[in-house]
Amino acid sequence: MKKFIIILPLLLIIGGMVIVLKNMKSESSSVIPKTTVSSAYDVERLATQEKTSSDMMKTYKKGNYSLTHPYIIKDPYNVAPLTAIVMFKTKEKTKITITVEGKDTESTITKTISDFKTEHEIPIIGLYADYNNTVKIKSEAEDGTVKTKELRIETESLPEDFLQNEVVEANKEKMEDGLTFIESSFGYGYAVDNNGDVRWFSSLPIHATFKRLKNGNVLYVTKKDKQYNEILEMDMLGKLSNAYTIQPQTYTNSDVIHHDLIEMPNGNLLATVNSDEKYIEDVIVEIDRQTGEVVHTIDLKDILPENFYMEYDGPSGEDGEVDWFHLNAIVYDESDDSLIISGRHQDTVMKIDYSTSKIKWILADHEDWPNSYKKFLLTENGKDFKYNAGQHAPMILPDQDNNSDTLDILLFDNNNVISRGNKTESQKYSRAVQYRINEKTRTVKEVWSYGESRGKDFFSSIVGNAVYQNSTGNRLITSGYILGENDSAESRVVEVTNDSNANVVFELKITGFEQGSHRQVYRAWRGALYPDLWEFKLDY
């Protein structure tokens, strides 16, 4: 860690380079100012962590800690209150199994660390809040000798403004394994078990993005001073691997990084960012994972018709910003080096070549598209078809029909027409929908959906997602902003089977936020508290 910190000032110089976007594509666009955005490593945050690790190790070395008398550090990095580290030595090399006892058998969390060692730094994850938790440690030597230790770890209550979680349905035999992870639009990122009990959360403020990387770490967008412009890569204890600060030169509102952040196959990160004061939520930047430098930029004003942003008069920012596209999702398709992106305010999902930004296809109602773009529009194939409206979170599904010409995507169709679409059906329901796109013939058909029959009780005018569950084939659906009587508001996370008449196997009702507070659930996903690839080691 110390060696890494030493080189960070150099990285800051590299990362601090300003990337200037291209001018707009016509003379009338010259009134639009150039947008600039830079990215850098957050030296201060990483240096603070180095000191934290060093202090823990100094304290540990002063004691003679063993399995019977371990060193316990609760919330070691001061960002994940329902975690701890347990450290001790054993005379013989042993492997360790940790058990966090649940309130019932199915909510018990167990993890075996298979390496045989004499120095042990054990991550404890999955503690209950406001609870005297029982944690059991089993030490097994190479000759089969077993020793055990039972610990009690007491935790504090959840914050007063924490969302309230109520399980409505849980058919545990048919559910995808793991905990349900919640991304709040603003508030906290957290995870609940099948009983709705919170078993992990971060005390860092969040803005929408909280997702797992291939290496088991998570990406988490939080505040740096007054802006949500900080990207953290951290493990489930809150230990940082990387921290990046995104800084536009002319954008001063809080939501610098606003809706999505993904990992590319080369390890770099793609982020949706705000970059200037007038036209917002229409820029994507690629951040080099090693240097923190912005290495590629896509501005959607360079791709879509000029009148879409110059003449847009729909929902926009509170301070007069023109939120003409409202870029809320990016998906990288490795098969052809392309991006699938979602623009809520254009009721549009589209695929573009990543390197050239050239359009491959557009999934949208055909209303009000210039002639030059009509060749990209997908044509509906089949009956009972409805185009997406105000949609969120498209994802590419595993091959569904053994046809190399087709691509299946799953998305959350808010069914809230902003610029184009079926206004008769608009706002009657929201749904998850699976589209099958023939990229060769540029045709599209619906093959599955869920939500229509629930009507207004499942309608979310904003936010939401739908996630394919790899083991079961189930779909985990978030309808994040459901308004009721007497100014009530709630989010619903529903897991359903992939049958044509889908059955609910899990449903979570989330309340505790007011209409217009922006504290609703943005997205949800299912995952393990102890990811397979993660191996914790304290840096010292």
Side-chain angles (χ1 to χ4, degrees), residues 471-539:
S471 297
T472 59
N474 293 346
R475 289 94 196 280
L476 189 71
I477 307 163
T478 304
S479 188
Y481 192 62
I482 303 170
L483 304 184
E485 298 178 353
N486 301 319
D487 296 327
S488 65
E490 65 182 50
S491 301
R492 294 270 176 162
V493 179
V494 182
E495 182 180 357
V496 301
T497 61
N498 68 344
D499 307 301
S500 56
N501 294 315
N503 295 309
V504 175
V505 298
F506 175 76
E507 183 157 351
L508 180 68
K509 176 183 176 181
I510 301 172
T511 56
F513 61 92
E514 297 178 350
Q515 294 186 17
S517 67
H518 304 296
R519 297 184 61 248
Q520 67 277 336
V521 177
Y522 176 59
R523 293 179 179 174
W525 49 278
R526 185 70 51 75
L529 276 182
Y530 285 95
D532 291 338
L533 295 178
W534 178 45
E535 294 183 8
F536 174 75
K537 182 173 177 56
L538 183 68
D539 290 319

Side-chain angles (χ1 to χ4, degrees), residues 32-74:
I32 302 172
K34 294 179 180 180
T35 53
T36 55
V37 62
S38 62
S39 174
Y41 261 97
D42 185 342
V43 178
E44 181 182 2
R45 196 182 286 269
L46 288 164
T48 298
Q49 178 174 280
E50 182 191 26
K51 184 178 186 305
T52 298
S53 296
S54 177
D55 290 345
M56 282 192 283
M57 184 51 61
K58 287 178 183 177
T59 303
Y60 173 67
K61 288 182 175 180
K62 289 179 181 178
N64 185 22
Y65 293 102
S66 63
L67 177 62
T68 57
H69 178 57
Y71 178 42
I72 304 171
I73 316 104
K74 293 193 290 186

Side-chain angles (χ1 to χ4, degrees), residues 247-497:
Q247 188 58 62
Q249 286 192 347
T250 61
Y251 187 81
T252 57
N253 286 351
S254 65
D255 54 341
V256 174
I257 308 163
H258 51 84
H259 278 89
D260 210 357
L261 179 64
I262 66 170
E263 179 181 25
M264 297 183 70
N266 64 5
N268 289 351
L269 306 177
L270 282 184
T272 59
V273 300
N274 280 317
S275 56
D276 71 60
E277 293 287 2
K278 183 173 183 180
Y279 295 99
I280 62 173
E281 303 198 5
D282 58 4
V283 171
I284 302 168
V285 296
E286 178 183 349
I287 301 164
D288 188 295
R289 190 91 156 267
Q290 301 302 315
T291 68
E293 180 185 357
V294 173
V295 294
H296 186 58
T297 306
I298 296 174
D299 188 334
L300 294 173
K301 293 188 292 296
D302 290 336
I303 300 171
L304 288 168
E306 186 177 89
N307 66 300
F308 278 22
Y309 52 89
M310 295 290 286
E311 300 173 14
Y312 177 76
D313 62 357
S316 275
E318 296 178 357
D319 298 323
E321 307 98 334
V322 181
D323 188 7
W324 66 279
F325 192 75
H326 197 88
L327 175 63
N328 60 29
I330 44 178
V331 181
Y332 182 78
D333 188 348
E334 191 171 1
S335 69
D336 59 358
D337 186 34
S338 64
L339 290 184
I340 297 174
I341 61 178
S342 169
R344 174 180 184 262
H345 288 177
Q346 294 298 327
D347 306 293
T348 293
V349 174
M350 60 190 296
K351 189 175 193 180
I352 61 174
D353 182 276
Y354 182 67
S355 299
T356 65
S357 297
K358 291 183 178 179
I359 298 172
K360 290 177 176 280
W361 50 253
I362 297 170
L363 173 60
D365 189 279
H366 292 204
E367 179 184 357
D368 291 335
W369 286 93
N371 289 335
S372 59
Y373 285 80
K374 289 182 178 179
K375 62 184 177 183
F376 303 118
L377 292 168
L378 298 176
T379 302
E380 60 196 79
N381 178 15
K383 298 179 180 179
D384 302 320
F385 183 91
K386 188 187 81 65
Y387 285 104
N388 41 281
Q391 75 293 317
H392 286 75
M395 71 169 294
I396 299 172
L397 298 183
D399 182 47
Q400 303 284 299
D401 62 350
N402 197 30
N403 182 349
S404 60
D405 291 336
T406 63
L407 178 72
D408 282 65
I409 63 171
L410 180 70
L411 58 81
F412 186 73
D413 176 15
N414 295 74
N415 189 30
N416 184 22
V417 173
I418 308 297
S419 294
R420 56 183 55 80
N422 189 332
K423 295 179 177 62
T424 302
E425 286 293 300
S426 180
Q427 301 188 5
K428 289 184 177 181
Y429 55 82
S430 293
R431 63 179 187 157
V433 57
Q434 178 181 338
Y435 292 112
R436 179 162 297 154
I437 299 167
N438 188 310
E439 297 189 294
K440 188 174 182 180
T441 62
R442 286 193 177 137
T443 57
V444 57
K445 65 180 180 179
E446 285 187 28
V447 296
W448 181 92
S449 68
Y450 172 84
E452 293 94 334
S453 64
R454 297 183 66 154
K456 279 283 192 178
D457 292 339
F458 203 61
F459 171 67
S460 177
S461 61
I462 58 172
V463 303
N465 75 322
V467 182
Y468 179 85
Q469 306 294 283
N470 290 316
S471 297
T472 59
N474 293 346
R475 289 94 196 280
L476 189 71
I477 307 163
T478 304
S479 188
Y481 192 62
I482 303 170
L483 304 184
E485 298 178 353
N486 301 319
D487 296 327
S488 65
E490 65 182 50
S491 301
R492 294 270 176 162
V493 179
V494 182
E495 182 180 357
V496 301
T497 61

Side-chain angles (χ1 to χ4, degrees), residues 212-218 233 241 263 289 531 533-535:
R212 180 153 284 156
L213 297 166
K214 293 177 183 177
N215 63 10
N217 290 340
V218 294
E233 179 186 345
S241 298
E263 179 181 25
R289 190 91 156 267
L533 295 178
W534 178 45
E535 294 183 8

Side-chain angles (χ1 to χ4, degrees), residues 143-206:
D143 64 3
T145 302
V146 172
K147 296 180 181 180
T148 60
K149 173 66 176 178
E150 182 173 297
L151 306 175
R152 306 290 285 189
I153 301 178
E154 194 165 357
T155 54
E156 296 182 357
S157 302
L158 295 171
E160 290 184 0
D161 61 347
F162 209 87
L163 297 178
Q164 298 164 17
N165 303 272
E166 175 190 349
V167 172
V168 177
E169 175 72 30
N171 187 339
K172 298 175 184 178
E173 292 182 356
K174 295 186 177 181
M175 293 170 55
E176 187 86 0
D177 287 341
L179 274 72
T180 303
F181 285 77
I182 303 296
E183 306 174 28
S184 301
S185 291
F186 291 94
Y188 303 95
Y190 65 96
V192 300
D193 62 20
N194 295 342
N195 298 319
D197 290 315
V198 177
R199 306 297 294 275
W200 186 93
F201 80 96
S202 176
S203 53
L204 293 171
I206 191 176

Side-chain angles (χ1 to χ4, degrees), residues 132-151:
N132 193 10
N133 293 268
T134 299
V135 177
K136 297 177 180 179
I137 300 178
K138 182 177 77 171
S139 173
E140 183 178 354
E142 292 176 303
D143 64 3
T145 302
V146 172
K147 296 180 181 180
T148 60
K149 173 66 176 178
E150 182 173 297
L151 306 175

